């Protein structure tokens, strides 16, 4: 199962959309939960917890897009983008 977490982190770092990441997580053998999303973002993609928690505002408990966010993917790119390019 560790390989699946590593793969999810690779998806983050290679530019996958949040939709693609969540889709992968729902098909992986680990539960697709907000806690596991945080694990992927912090442990596998190296995003600090404070920034990773911002992603949780974009989704609900079922990892569906939360209401009130007009452009979730744009917000996702703003959060994950700097970690993809090594700018932080």
């Amino acid at each position: 199962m560790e390989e699946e977490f590593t793969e999810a982190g690779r998806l983050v770092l290679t530019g996958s959309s949040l939709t693609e990441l969540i889709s992968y997580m729902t098909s992986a053998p680990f539960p697709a939960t907000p806690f596991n999303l945080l694990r992927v973002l912090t442990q596998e993609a190296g995003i600090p917890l404070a920034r990773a928690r911002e992603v949780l505002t974009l989704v609900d408990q079922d990892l569906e897009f939360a209401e009130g966010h007009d452009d979730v993917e744009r917000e996702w790119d703003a959060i994950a983008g700097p970690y993809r390019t090594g700018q932080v």
Side-chain angles (χ1 to χ4, degrees), residues 8 11-26 33-34 37-38 40-41 47 52 54-60 63-66 69 71-80 84:
L11 289 173
V12 173
L13 296 175
T14 58
S16 293
S17 68
L18 185 56
T19 302
E20 292 167 332
L21 175 61
I22 290 171
S23 177
Y24 174 79
M25 288 181 63
T26 58
T33 64
L37 177 58
L38 280 179
V40 166
L41 297 175
I47 298 174
E54 292 178 37
V55 176
L56 294 185
T57 67
L58 304 176
V59 297
D60 62 18
L63 298 186
E64 299 289 330
F65 288 164
H69 293 276
D71 194 350
V72 171
E73 294 296 350
R74 182 182 50 77
E75 293 178 53
W76 162 249
D77 285 335
I79 295 167
R84 294 176 178 145

Side-chain angles (χ1 to χ4, degrees), residues 35-50:
F35 178 80
N36 280 336
L37 177 58
L38 280 179
R39 177 181 174 186
V40 166
L41 297 175
T42 59
Q43 293 180 5
E44 302 300 332
I47 298 174
L49 182 59

